[in-house]
Amino acid sequence: MRKVKTLVHQGAMPIATESVRTFSKIASGIEVFEIHSDGSLDEGDWSLLEQAADGLPFRRVEPADRRVKLDQLAVDFPAAGRLLGGRGYMTKLQVLAVEPDPFFYFDSDILWLKPFEFAPPAEDRAVFSTETWSWYYGMQRPLRWIKEGIPRRVNSGFAWIVPPFPLDRLERMLQEGLYTPDHLYSTDQEILAYLFPDSLAFALGDFGRTRVGVHYDVAGLPHLAMHFPGGMWKPHLEQIRRLEPRQEGRQVELTVPGRLDLREILRMKLALAFEQNYVLQRTGNVYRRLRNHWRRRG
């Protein structure tokens, strides 16, 4: 694992500096550590990130640095170029799409807890983090996804990418109407699941993901790293700032993800209906509070 990347926006600077700080404590053998900006970082932010990197071979990457390569690929892949030219979660796809060498990527709302050893798959397969269910709201023509054996529950918080990025597959995906960026909850995750159908997954026990409404004892987490998406780092920030990663690490476990099926798609649609219904949402929040209360007592 010689090249590592992360992506930072200004609103996440409190956790991003801690993410970079804790990564610097457990990283080894890194030749290039790229911190990409979505364009919102100022010089003060960059100074804080460089301090947090604490001697890692730090490289600063701005949107203009990615633009030349993105403009070049848009000539051969116009639909993919238009999609990648967007903002928000498309910025992450920009970071993943323009690199000629294999690299490890992690979101900047990830806390590193222990050192880890990662041996890339011998078959040159991509590897992504996973979660408890699929968030593929931009998916269109789901029966086609099932027929093609697309992996379920892909999460892009952690990623090992082996170029070349499959821009031809992305172009066909868009031309054939298999994805829409216009859904309220569309993300990059379903795109990556479709683009890398033979991908592997990092085990949840190694690279974990927080759950809504759960308050964690950060120092006691058994994982190698923990992802705090959607602002879930905010109530844990004081704990995170006090954390010093432990030194006993282990080899990262890779697993074969399950395949998307009708049951998973139905679950996703029910979850969406739940989120859009005020009564069901309130009921769910009560359930989460009770669940957390009894877990703490246990």
Side-chain angles (χ1 to χ4, degrees):
M1 192 180 69
R2 300 301 181 189
K3 177 170 282 190
V4 179
K5 302 184 180 195
T6 191
L7 171 65
V8 180
H9 65 91
Q10 193 172 60
M13 275 296 295
I15 185 62
T17 54
E18 298 303 320
S19 181
V20 172
R21 177 185 70 84
T22 53
F23 183 71
S24 75
K25 301 285 188 182
I26 59 90
S28 62
I30 308 300
E31 292 181 357
V32 179
F33 179 45
E34 291 186 354
I35 298 183
H36 286 248
S37 168
D38 67 345
S40 63
L41 302 185
D42 59 29
E43 290 300 323
D45 298 324
W46 281 115
S47 178
L48 290 172
L49 290 167
E50 188 166 9
Q51 291 175 37
D54 193 24
L56 283 177
F58 171 93
R59 180 183 295 168
R60 165 178 172 170
V61 184
E62 295 278 12
D65 300 316
R66 300 187 296 269
R67 177 52 52 195
V68 173
K69 294 180 180 178
L70 290 169
D71 289 345
Q72 290 172 348
L73 69 84
V75 174
D76 296 322
F77 306 102
R82 286 191 295 273
L83 184 74
L84 293 174
R87 296 180 178 273
Y89 60 87
M90 289 304 164
T91 307
K92 185 191 295 188
L93 284 182
Q94 293 174 11
V95 174
L96 301 184
V98 298
E99 177 58 54
D101 301 312
F103 63 93
F104 181 77
Y105 169 88
F106 66 90
D107 280 350
S108 60
D109 51 6
I110 283 166
L111 182 67
W112 294 91
L113 302 163
K114 300 177 183 180
F116 68 94
E117 298 176 13
F118 171 60
E123 310 91 337
D124 281 347
R125 295 162 76 174
V127 189
F128 298 102
S129 48
T130 188
E131 53 187 310
T132 53
W133 63 288
S134 300
W135 298 73
Y136 293 178
Y137 292 117
M139 176 180 59
Q140 302 289 295
R141 301 172 61 188
L143 293 180
R144 172 75 175 274
W145 290 57
I146 293 173
K147 182 179 178 181
E148 293 196 24
I150 303 304
R152 66 180 185 173
R153 307 183 185 186
V154 165
N155 181 283
S156 57
F158 304 84
W160 168 254
I161 301 292
V162 181
F165 195 82
L167 291 163
D168 53 345
R169 186 168 172 84
L170 177 58
E171 189 76 8
R172 290 196 303 272
M173 177 190 192
L174 298 171
Q175 290 178 347
E176 295 174 14
L178 299 175
Y179 171 82
T180 175
D182 298 328
H183 192 286
L184 178 62
Y185 299 109
S186 294
T187 73
D188 61 296
Q189 297 180 163
E190 58 267 39
I191 297 175
L192 292 168
Y194 188 84
L195 294 185
F196 296 92
D198 296 324
S199 62
L200 298 174
F202 293 114
L204 266 174
D206 289 338
F207 292 163
R209 185 184 186 281
T210 53
R211 298 181 64 180
V212 175
V214 179
H215 193 80
Y216 294 88
D217 171 17
V218 171
L221 289 169
H223 308 80
L224 297 168
M226 181 64 93
H227 192 182
F228 288 81
M232 283 189 272
W233 51 269
K234 293 178 181 178
H236 299 88
L237 189 56
E238 289 308 311
Q239 285 191 67
I240 289 170
R241 285 173 170 160
R242 294 193 302 269
L243 180 82
E244 289 297 326
R246 287 161 280 174
Q247 293 307 306
E248 71 283 8
R250 62 176 181 264
Q251 180 80 31
V252 173
E253 180 184 353
L254 302 184
T255 63
V256 178
R259 300 292 146 179
L260 196 63
D261 56 22
L262 284 174
R263 182 173 60 179
E264 186 83 1
I265 292 170
L266 177 60
R267 182 180 181 182
M268 184 174 64
K269 291 185 179 297
L270 288 173
L272 179 62
F274 183 94
E275 290 297 325
Q276 294 177 329
N277 184 291
Y278 176 77
V279 174
L280 291 176
Q281 196 175 65
R282 295 278 292 186
T283 302
N285 289 338
V286 170
Y287 163 75
R288 290 185 183 114
R289 286 196 294 271
L290 289 173
R291 177 194 63 191
N292 297 337
H293 171 75
W294 287 110
R295 280 181 175 173
R296 286 194 294 270
R297 289 191 62 179

